[in-house]
Amino acid sequence: MHKLLIVGAGRGGTALLQVLQKMEKIQVVALVDRRQDAPGLALAREYGIEVATDYQPYLAQVDVILEATGDPVAYEDILHKKPDATVLIPGTFTSLIMRLIHEREQLIAKLTDSQREYDTMLDSTHDAIIAVNAQGIITLFNKAAERLMGIKAKDVLGTEASASIPNTRLHIVLETGQPELNQEQVLPNHTRIITNRVPVRDERGEPVGAVAVFRDITEIMSLAEEVTDLKELKSMLQAIINCSDEAISVVDGDGNGLLINPAYTRITGLTEEDVIGKPATVDISEGESMHMQVLKTQKPVRGVPMKLGPKRKDVIVNVAPVMVDGVLKGSVGVIHDITEFKSLTEELEKAKRIIRTLEAKYTFEEITGESEPMRVAIEQAKKAALTPATVLLRGESGTGKELFAHAIHNASERKYNQFIRVNCAAISESLLESELFGYEEGSFTGARRGGKRGLFEEASGGTIFLDEIGELSMSMQAKLLRVLQEREIVRVGATKATPIDVRVIAATHVNLESAIQAGRFREDLYYRLQVVPIHIPPLRQRQEDIRPLVMHVLRKHNQEYGRNVKQIADETLQILRAYHWPGNVRELENVLGRAMINMKFSETCIEPEHLPPLGSSLEEAAGERGRSSTAAALSLKEVLEEAERKHIATVLAACEGNRTETARRLGISIRSLYYKLEKLGIE
């Protein structure tokens, strides 16, 4: 006796209950549905079957669970919670198989009835049977004969057939000893029958009687129609399978191919001759056969990525076992072609990258940080985004100040307007004023006809992000102070002020308090900028953020490098946490990118040996070894550039990425330092 649990009491679950209740060796333990008004619950109560809203109490009591909700989430939940020995059958396959079983049982029942009628003539209520003895006297006249002939048995039993039954030929068969088979005849009541009349012989072969077995031809026609209906159902199922855009593959219990549809051939490039009767592994170009795994475990698998066929098509495979009366008969696989999906995904990512160059790229959801300092900074930034106040982002280079600026803009009411980014240290002093405030026609040699709008005007209604604000000259600081105070700008060469509506977000890694004491930064501008100060902590002060940062960077680099790195070893993570990270998150991205390049394409976990040397001294030592073999081939200019690169990198590392302090120690201006960093390729 198989014990079953049906989950889902909708139309499908109700139909399953009706069919299963009639089957032998099947006990439906309970019918479960979260909806109290589900139609199947009332039917279950009529059958004396338990009903419930939670399936979990019944998991240990049943052999088979029939999922009839059609909900993939419900199916996955049951799959994870059921005992390993319990079979879970998806609703789609359950309904199809149960329908076929129901129809098969109906046909078998009718055929069995017919056979029983022939075997037990006396109890027959289906075929009409008339028998006579050697004298032609009627000795048998069953209920079916009464119904078809319209004559009562009591009226004809013991009488001569030739006299009691119109148009009978039993006496002729008795006389000739020759059977008359499959004879069509019309009875006096206009019923059309098919009859078989045969003589009954004794041991010596002498006729001792005759029997006529006949039935209404209407029933034969009905059976013919049922066979026709089965053929139509088979044709319909075949048409559904063949017109599906999803590839379908069916194998038997031994893992040999039984059926494929045209979509399978289109996706994999394999024909029926290549697959039918062949092992399930014949179509795999990369990965393991899910058919063989399902046949081995009798458990379905979903969402398995593979490459199939000579075209190495990227596909996602779902495979489920086919169970009939608890016996594994094979498995069915549905194959989704994701080649176009991957192509569209790549195009979408490309479009996103293009769009992000035109507007604010990031939101607060993309800022990775679980440490307390980072949560405080994010919370402050979210509050600041709800106001039009000026924000000052402070933190070392590489901590993500620009990312915060993007997120603040995207969380503000100005998110649908312009977001303008300005690196104050990257624009020369002579051009910075005209870039920020614009100029009038003829204001200087080379000025564009009609003048030019400045970046503050371009950002009107939106946000302007002034990065490296601590590198502005004192004269530019004074002009910026006027903009913040008066909310207006004056173009170069103009006499009239232009009002603007701009949200200002500034950022700097410079210690502004020290700069004020040294006379390099205006105190009044400092207080104008310091309306909402937000300190972004360096990476060394938030070690607990390294793991989530690493996983975020891996996902980003996987897309850029076409790799599939999924995790990082604990030993590797300890090395990263022990490092002081002078370059902060930017340096972490660089280290992980180099580590992925050092990995083999098949490797998915970053091990310690994949990491490049951490720290400038190790980098210099490695560079020195590489340069020693080519030093003789370098020109004097190249040698000088290499020495300059080495010295600037050493000082930059000693200053922990502080470029202002680096420029001071090197005795050059900050703009000269930016120029050399870009020229020499120093990050």
Side-chain angles (χ1 to χ4, degrees):
M1 177 68 69
H2 296 285
K3 296 184 178 181
L4 278 70
L5 172 66
I6 302 177
V7 180
R11 184 167 55 186
T14 304
L16 286 174
L17 180 60
Q18 291 172 333
V19 173
L20 294 173
Q21 187 65 17
K22 300 175 183 178
M23 297 179 65
E24 298 180 0
K25 297 183 179 180
I26 294 292
Q27 178 188 355
V28 179
V29 174
L31 180 63
V32 177
D33 199 299
R34 293 181 178 178
R35 297 175 302 148
Q36 297 292 338
D37 59 343
L41 299 181
L43 180 62
R45 293 187 182 98
E46 291 180 9
Y47 289 154
I49 296 173
E50 291 185 28
V51 298
T53 58
D54 186 7
Y55 62 83
Q56 296 190 55
Y58 300 98
L59 293 181
Q61 305 176 25
V62 297
D63 305 312
V64 180
I65 301 173
L66 302 178
E67 185 278 311
T69 65
D71 184 359
V73 175
Y75 176 83
E76 290 294 332
D77 186 61
I78 298 171
L79 182 63
H80 285 92
K81 293 180 179 178
K82 74 177 184 64
D84 292 339
T86 303
V87 177
L88 174 60
I89 300 179
T92 53
F93 288 102
T94 301
S95 59
L96 175 61
I97 293 171
M98 293 307 297
R99 187 192 312 165
L100 295 176
I101 291 175
H102 176 64
E103 293 170 351
R104 178 179 68 89
E105 289 181 346
Q106 285 183 325
L107 181 58
I108 291 174
K110 290 181 179 179
L111 294 175
T112 302
D113 289 341
S114 298
Q115 186 64 41
R116 186 180 297 112
E117 290 163 3
Y118 282 106
D119 293 339
T120 57
M121 296 174 58
L122 294 176
D123 298 327
S124 173
T125 59
H126 187 71
D127 285 348
I129 303 173
I130 302 175
V132 297
N133 59 17
Q135 291 74 37
I137 302 300
I138 299 173
T139 59
L140 174 64
F141 198 92
N142 69 349
K143 295 292 183 182
E146 288 184 337
R147 185 181 68 254
L148 291 177
M149 300 294 296
I151 302 173
K152 295 295 183 180
K154 64 181 182 179
D155 296 333
V156 295
L157 286 174
T159 64
E160 289 188 6
S162 57
S164 301
I165 301 175
N167 300 326
T168 184
R169 290 180 59 82
L170 281 175
H171 61 289
I172 297 175
V173 171
L174 186 62
E175 293 173 359
T176 63
Q178 299 297 320
E180 295 180 355
L181 304 177
N182 299 322
Q183 298 297 308
E184 185 175 343
Q185 184 177 342
V186 179
L187 299 178
N189 59 7
H190 304 293
T191 300
R192 187 177 295 275
I193 63 170
I194 293 291
T195 180
N196 291 323
R197 307 180 188 94
V198 295
V200 179
R201 300 180 184 275
D202 59 13
E203 295 82 359
R204 295 172 298 178
E206 296 295 330
V208 294
V211 176
V213 180
F214 55 97
R215 64 170 54 183
D216 191 341
I217 198 174
T218 306
E219 185 164 349
I220 296 177
M221 296 177 64
S222 176
L223 289 175
E225 290 175 356
E226 290 181 9
V227 173
T228 302
D229 290 342
L230 287 175
K231 290 181 179 179
E232 290 179 353
L233 177 60
K234 179 182 177 182
S235 300
M236 183 181 298
L237 292 175
Q238 191 69 43
I240 292 172
I241 292 173
N242 288 342
C243 73
S244 172
D245 287 334
E246 305 292 350
I248 298 175
S249 167
V250 183
V251 302
D252 60 20
D254 297 323
N256 296 319
L258 283 180
L259 179 148
I260 61 173
N261 65 344
Y264 178 93
T265 299
R266 184 182 70 251
I267 292 174
T268 66
L270 299 174
T271 63
E272 290 186 351
E273 291 76 13
D274 300 322
V275 176
I276 303 302
K278 305 293 178 60
T281 56
V282 71
D283 58 355
I284 298 174
S285 57
E286 184 176 314
E288 299 180 359
S289 172
M290 291 300 103
H291 276 303
M292 300 309 295
Q293 179 176 326
V294 168
L295 292 176
K296 180 179 180 181
T297 63
Q298 298 188 15
K299 297 179 180 178
V301 296
R302 297 181 60 83
V304 180
M306 299 177 66
K307 291 184 183 291
L308 293 186
K311 300 178 183 179
R312 295 177 61 83
K313 279 296 187 73
D314 290 298
V315 298
I316 294 293
V317 177
N318 298 330
V319 182
V322 177
M323 308 293 294
V324 179
D325 294 333
V327 179
L328 179 67
K329 295 296 184 180
S331 62
V332 178
V334 179
I335 303 164
H336 308 268
D337 184 2
I338 60 171
T339 304
E340 183 176 358
F341 175 77
K342 289 183 66 177
S343 175
L344 292 174
T345 300
E346 292 173 357
E347 291 182 10
L348 178 60
E349 290 300 324
K350 182 178 179 181
K352 285 182 177 179
R353 288 194 295 270
I354 294 174
I355 292 172
R356 284 177 172 178
T357 62
L358 304 176
E359 59 184 21
K361 305 177 187 179
Y362 309 106
T363 63
F364 283 113
E365 287 71 20
E366 296 176 81
I367 298 178
T368 303
E370 301 174 357
S371 63
E372 182 62 24
M374 200 63 177
R375 286 202 299 267
V376 170
I378 293 173
E379 187 63 28
Q380 289 177 333
K382 288 181 177 179
K383 292 180 180 179
L386 303 178
T387 71
T390 301
V391 176
L392 178 61
L393 301 172
R394 305 188 66 171
E396 298 177 5
S397 294
T399 54
K401 296 186 291 296
E402 183 170 344
L403 189 147
F404 267 79
H406 287 234
I408 292 172
H409 172 76
N410 278 328
S412 70
E413 295 179 351
R414 300 171 179 263
K415 62 182 178 181
Y416 297 113
N417 296 318
Q418 287 287 332
F419 178 82
I420 303 295
R421 293 166 286 176
V422 183
N423 189 326
C424 299
I427 304 176
S428 66
E429 177 73 21
S430 58
L431 295 177
L432 186 58
E433 182 179 359
S434 60
E435 286 293 320
L436 289 178
F437 308 131
Y439 56 80
E440 296 292 334
E441 180 179 348
S443 57
F444 54 85
T445 302
R448 182 188 303 175
R449 180 176 298 179
K452 176 187 175 183
R453 285 159 53 93
L455 296 177
F456 270 97
E457 288 184 79
E458 294 287 345
S460 186
T463 303
I464 189 167
F465 173 49
L466 302 176
D467 198 7
E468 302 293 355
I469 193 75
E471 310 301 338
L472 289 176
S473 66
M474 296 298 285
S475 61
M476 281 302 303
Q477 291 179 33
K479 294 173 181 177
L480 178 60
L481 176 62
R482 174 181 173 81
V483 173
L484 296 177
Q485 288 178 334
E486 307 298 335
R487 294 294 172 179
E488 61 184 22
I489 57 100
V490 178
R491 292 186 180 183
V492 175
T495 58
K496 183 179 179 181
T498 302
I500 57 169
D501 175 23
V502 177
R503 173 29 164 335
V504 176
I505 301 176
T508 183
H509 65 273
V510 174
N511 188 324
L512 296 182
E513 292 79 8
S514 299
I516 292 173
Q517 294 179 359
R520 291 184 284 107
F521 200 83
R522 295 177 62 102
E523 185 174 3
D524 46 5
L525 177 59
Y526 170 81
Y527 289 116
R528 283 290 179 184
L529 295 173
Q530 190 86 344
V531 177
V532 182
I534 299 174
H535 176 71
I536 304 174
L539 187 55
R540 60 182 174 274
Q541 293 180 6
R542 51 189 186 107
Q543 296 290 316
E544 57 267 44
D545 288 341
I546 288 183
R547 175 179 282 279
L549 282 170
V550 166
M551 301 312 297
H552 171 76
V553 174
L554 289 184
R555 289 191 294 270
K556 174 183 174 183
H557 285 349
N558 278 335
Q559 290 184 353
E560 295 176 353
Y561 298 167
R563 305 296 289 271
N564 190 30
V565 180
K566 297 180 179 178
Q567 55 186 329
I568 182 170
D570 291 339
E571 297 84 356
T572 311
L573 193 62
Q574 291 301 323
I575 295 174
L576 298 182
R577 284 175 173 167
Y579 185 52
H580 63 283
W581 298 108
N584 292 296
V585 179
R586 187 180 293 118
E587 184 180 3
L588 176 64
E589 291 184 351
N590 178 273
V591 168
L592 292 175
R594 293 164 66 186
M596 292 177 68
I597 293 172
N598 292 336
M599 298 172 65
K600 296 179 181 179
F601 193 83
S602 60
E603 292 178 320
T604 61
C605 180
I606 299 180
E607 301 292 344
E609 59 267 21
H610 297 140
L611 290 178
L614 299 179
S616 59
S617 60
L618 293 176
E619 293 175 358
E620 291 172 12
E624 195 66 32
R625 288 194 299 270
R627 288 192 294 271
S628 60
S629 60
T630 58
L634 296 176
S635 66
L636 180 59
K637 179 180 178 181
E638 291 171 331
V639 171
L640 291 174
E641 286 182 351
E642 182 62 23
E644 187 177 20
R645 180 185 296 107
K646 177 180 177 181
H647 183 63
I648 292 176
T650 301
V651 176
L652 185 62
C655 296
E656 297 183 345
N658 189 321
R659 298 184 180 184
T660 301
E661 181 62 17
T662 300
R664 188 188 66 78
R665 293 190 186 185
L666 292 173
I668 60 177
S669 68
I670 185 64
R671 288 182 174 80
S672 296
L673 175 61
Y674 271 93
Y675 170 77
K676 291 181 180 294
L677 292 176
E678 182 178 358
K679 175 184 176 184
L680 300 175
I682 300 173
E683 295 185 354

